[in-house]
Amino acid sequence: MQIASWNVNSIRTRIQIVIDWLQSHPSVDLLCLQETKVIDPDFPHTPFTDLGYHTYIYGQKAYNGVALISRQPLSEVSCGFSPLVADVGDFDEQKRVISGVIDDIRIVNLYVPNGSAVGSDKYSYKLGWLEILRQYLEVLIKAQPNPKIVICGDFNVAVEDIDIHNAKKRETQVMATDLEREALQAVLQLGFKDVFRKFTPEAGHYSWWDYRSGGWKRNQGWRIDYHFATDVLYDKAIDCSIDTAPRALVQPSDHAPVILEF
Amino acid sequence: MQIASWNVNSIRTRIQIVIDWLQSHPSVDLLCLQETKVIDPDFPHTPFTDLGYHTYIYGQKAYNGVALISRQPLSEVSCGFSPLVADVGDFDEQKRVISGVIDDIRIVNLYVPNGSAVGSDKYSYKLGWLEILRQYLEVLIKAQPNPKIVICGDFNVAVEDIDIHNAKKRETQVMATDLEREALQAVLQLGFKDVFRKFTPEAGHYSWWDYRSGGWKRNQGWRIDYHFATDVLYDKAIDCSIDTAPRALVQPSDHAPVILEF
DNA sequence: GATTCTGAAG
DNA sequence: CTTCAGAATC
């Protein structure tokens, strides 16, 4: 089984690139999309359903938005943190969480807030959001012994310095500050491991290159898209890799897809 | 010699369509463009110069903008009404006039104001602009006996009822009111004739179809793009025709090119 | 209906 | 650098 994650930066702008990629990767069973940037009535279902995929979407106007594109029907699909988290505040107003079950495995597809700039309101929102995510996953992970859960998506945090092309002055850089890493670690300490690092320990592998300042040309990237898995699934994983090819196309997303295989 | 006129509705958006058209019409010596919608530093010269054309441009941000694309170098290129018209007021703020000489013929390439709605400020501006144009051409035409002048471009006026798909209620319609026609006739009475009508007297030939309400599909168009020539050139003309093919392409301009041949 | 700008966002 | 919304223009 293959589970892919891809921040497409607008599904309507990227639909042909995504469809072409799915057709050239027929072994992908589930594609988790982030930043679909479209309200549900306008989501382009037919390109996917024409290929035999089932679509599960959770979108809003202009920003955010997540989707699950699955060869098999999913069960227990849920959107947002509520009702698993009792007091979500306004953290479900932005559409960033969709989850479903395939082959007894729960997949949680996430688009973590970017955080804008260190110390900004959006930065505080990101830290608060990650704490709500921790509460949400705590409920899920404690619901059963030996849980089979994968959380994947765009986490907008580089978990280690080797996940950044240049870690100098990282503490001033959003996506790399200690506070963000600690908030994410509090999530992962529930029992999630970075599957990519099971196979690739060395530095220099990225999933996102800023459109600005020629980040892709100069391979100045960040690894901020992940699959984190519970022990039983981490142990079963046979590959986890980043497909950088779509980043080189014309009018690409700034993110590359990441594929996990059991 | 062939002189073409084409309102391209943004040269940057339409560059490939225009280049393809030039390559498939190698006998066009001079292409007069309107609505280039680009400031001079951003004009795409190289697609034209790579094909061996010389470019003369007069643009502004977002709106209006005219250009001359010529196989041979032009002489005496001038932009705007000034200094030929002494008191231009603010009529040179919008970039709508470029002129040059080729083979002893002066070409004046125009983008006449649209006028928005009858009775609006823009409608008054259009009438005032046409009077300034008359003064400008009066200077040019009186500078020599038997002048060789062609004025062409998007005039945003249908000179006769047969130039409109449906002339009912035309007096309420901008581009067809008596006041606009009279203002344009005052220009033409200096000594310019509509070359298209030398070859095609019948109704139903248009150069512009509104993007709205399926104007092109239903052939509900207007003839508002013209070549008006002085007597000696009118007599020498051997063809004047509208090439409707580019209007049928994907992402077309709402105008079709018009070609005059001597 | 199609294009452009501005401003916000990443 | 790229996207989206909303306004203005034609």
Side-chain angles (χ1 to χ4, degrees):
Chain A
M1 170 147 75
Q2 293 190 359
I3 299 167
S5 171
W6 197 358
N7 179 323
V8 291
N9 188 16
S10 170
I11 188 58
R12 285 179 296 181
T13 301
R14 223 70 62 202
I15 186 65
Q16 201 50 57
I17 284 178
V18 174
I19 291 296
D20 289 349
W21 188 84
L22 270 181
Q23 291 198 280
S24 60
H25 293 76
S27 51
V28 168
D29 299 285
L30 174 63
L31 174 59
C32 303
L33 300 177
Q34 303 92 37
E35 282 206 272
T36 53
K37 291 188 172 179
V38 65
I39 55 176
D40 291 350
D42 293 349
F43 188 94
H45 292 275
T46 43
F48 296 108
T49 52
D50 286 354
L51 258 52
Y53 286 91
H54 299 82
T55 56
Y56 305 88
I57 64 174
Y58 186 48
Q60 69 178 80
K61 186 159 67 169
Y63 300 110
N64 313 312
V66 283
L68 296 168
I69 311 294
S70 179
R71 273 213 190 278
Q72 313 168 217
L74 300 178
S75 60
E76 299 177 52
V77 173
S78 86
C79 298
F81 293 125
S82 180
L84 253 66
V85 176
D87 188 10
V88 294
D90 61 354
F91 287 110
D92 264 348
E93 283 174 17
Q94 298 180 12
K95 311 308 186 193
R96 297 175 175 278
V97 183
I98 189 169
S99 168
V101 171
I102 179 171
D103 284 354
D104 223 36
I105 301 168
R106 176 159 288 280
I107 312 293
V108 180
N109 176 26
L110 301 171
Y111 176 50
V112 176
N114 169 277
S116 191
V118 178
S120 66
D121 285 355
K122 292 191 172 65
Y123 183 80
S124 308
Y125 182 88
K126 180 181 192 171
L127 298 175
W129 193 94
L130 285 167
E131 166 55 17
I132 298 293
L133 174 63
R134 195 197 60 74
Q135 295 176 27
Y136 171 82
L137 293 172
E138 189 170 30
V139 176
L140 281 183
I141 210 164
K142 290 189 170 163
Q144 51 187 318
N146 302 313
K148 294 160 92 170
I149 305 176
V150 173
I151 62 177
C152 69
D154 176 1
F155 286 77
N156 271 316
V157 176
V159 299
E160 295 184 274
D161 286 356
I162 57 171
D163 296 317
I164 311 174
H165 68 89
N166 180 354
K168 302 271 162 58
K169 301 182 301 177
R170 67 161 181 80
E171 186 55 34
T172 66
Q173 280 276 120
V174 77
M175 303 197 295
T177 63
D178 285 337
L179 239 41
E180 291 164 272
R181 286 185 176 176
E182 287 160 13
L184 181 51
Q185 284 307 324
V187 170
L188 304 182
Q189 277 160 17
L190 292 169
F192 296 98
K193 289 180 183 161
D194 182 352
V195 187
F196 184 82
R197 287 299 176 207
K198 174 175 174 181
F199 305 100
T200 309
E202 75 275 11
H205 292 84
Y206 310 127
S207 66
W208 173 76
W209 299 259
D210 200 326
Y211 286 127
R212 292 164 287 194
S213 65
W216 167 251
K217 273 204 316 268
R218 301 145 70 162
N219 195 29
Q220 297 185 341
W222 296 56
R223 195 172 71 96
I224 56 178
D225 301 88
Y226 304 93
H227 294 75
F228 298 112
T230 51
D231 283 342
V232 50
L233 295 176
Y234 182 88
D235 293 341
K236 281 177 67 179
I238 58 173
D239 193 30
C240 186
S241 61
I242 302 167
D243 178 11
T244 58
R247 186 60 178 82
L249 299 176
V250 294
Q251 260 203 324
S253 169
D254 44 351
H255 294 254
V258 187
I259 310 172
L260 166 64
E261 182 167 10
F262 296 117
Chain B
M1 170 148 76
Q2 293 190 359
I3 299 167
S5 172
W6 196 358
N7 179 324
V8 291
N9 188 15
S10 170
I11 187 58
R12 285 180 295 180
T13 302
R14 223 72 62 203
I15 185 65
Q16 201 50 55
I17 283 178
V18 174
I19 291 296
D20 290 349
W21 187 83
L22 269 181
Q23 292 198 280
S24 60
H25 294 74
S27 50
V28 168
D29 298 286
L30 174 62
L31 174 59
C32 302
L33 299 176
Q34 303 92 38
E35 282 206 272
T36 54
K37 291 188 173 181
V38 65
I39 56 175
D40 291 350
D42 293 349
F43 189 94
H45 292 276
T46 44
F48 296 107
T49 53
D50 286 355
L51 258 52
Y53 286 92
H54 300 82
T55 56
Y56 305 89
I57 64 174
Y58 186 48
Q60 68 177 80
K61 186 159 69 168
Y63 300 111
N64 312 313
V66 284
L68 296 167
I69 311 295
S70 179
R71 274 214 189 277
Q72 314 168 216
L74 300 179
S75 61
E76 299 176 53
V77 172
S78 86
C79 298
F81 292 124
S82 179
L84 254 66
V85 177
D87 188 11
V88 295
D90 61 354
F91 287 111
D92 263 348
E93 284 173 18
Q94 298 180 11
K95 311 308 185 192
R96 297 175 174 277
V97 182
I98 189 169
S99 168
V101 171
I102 178 171
D103 284 354
D104 223 39
I105 301 168
R106 176 159 288 279
I107 312 292
V108 180
N109 176 26
L110 301 171
Y111 175 50
V112 176
N114 170 277
S116 190
V118 178
S120 67
D121 285 354
K122 292 190 173 67
Y123 183 79
S124 308
Y125 182 87
K126 180 181 193 172
L127 298 176
W129 193 94
L130 285 167
E131 166 55 16
I132 298 294
L133 174 63
R134 196 197 59 75
Q135 295 176 27
Y136 170 83
L137 293 173
E138 189 169 29
V139 176
L140 282 182
I141 210 163
K142 291 188 170 165
Q144 52 186 317
N146 303 313
K148 294 161 92 171
I149 305 175
V150 174
I151 61 177
C152 69
D154 175 2
F155 286 76
N156 271 317
V157 176
V159 298
E160 295 184 273
D161 286 356
I162 57 171
D163 296 318
I164 311 173
H165 68 89
N166 180 354
K168 302 271 162 59
K169 302 182 298 177
R170 69 161 180 82
E171 187 54 34
T172 67
Q173 280 275 119
V174 78
M175 304 197 296
T177 64
D178 285 338
L179 237 42
E180 292 164 272
R181 286 185 178 176
E182 288 160 12
L184 182 51
Q185 284 306 325
V187 171
L188 303 182
Q189 278 161 15
L190 292 169
F192 296 99
K193 289 181 183 160
D194 182 352
V195 186
F196 184 83
R197 288 298 176 205
K198 174 175 173 180
F199 305 99
T200 310
E202 75 274 12
H205 291 84
Y206 310 126
S207 65
W208 173 77
W209 298 258
D210 201 325
Y211 286 128
R212 290 164 287 194
S213 64
W216 167 252
K217 272 203 318 267
R218 302 146 69 161
N219 194 30
Q220 298 185 342
W222 296 56
R223 195 171 71 96
I224 57 178
D225 301 270
Y226 304 92
H227 294 74
F228 298 111
T230 51
D231 284 342
V232 50
L233 295 176
Y234 182 88
D235 293 342
K236 281 178 67 179
I238 58 173
D239 193 29
C240 186
S241 61
I242 302 167
D243 179 11
T244 57
R247 185 60 179 81
L249 299 175
V250 292
Q251 262 203 322
S253 169
D254 44 351
H255 294 254
V258 187
I259 311 172
L260 165 65
E261 182 167 9
F262 296 117

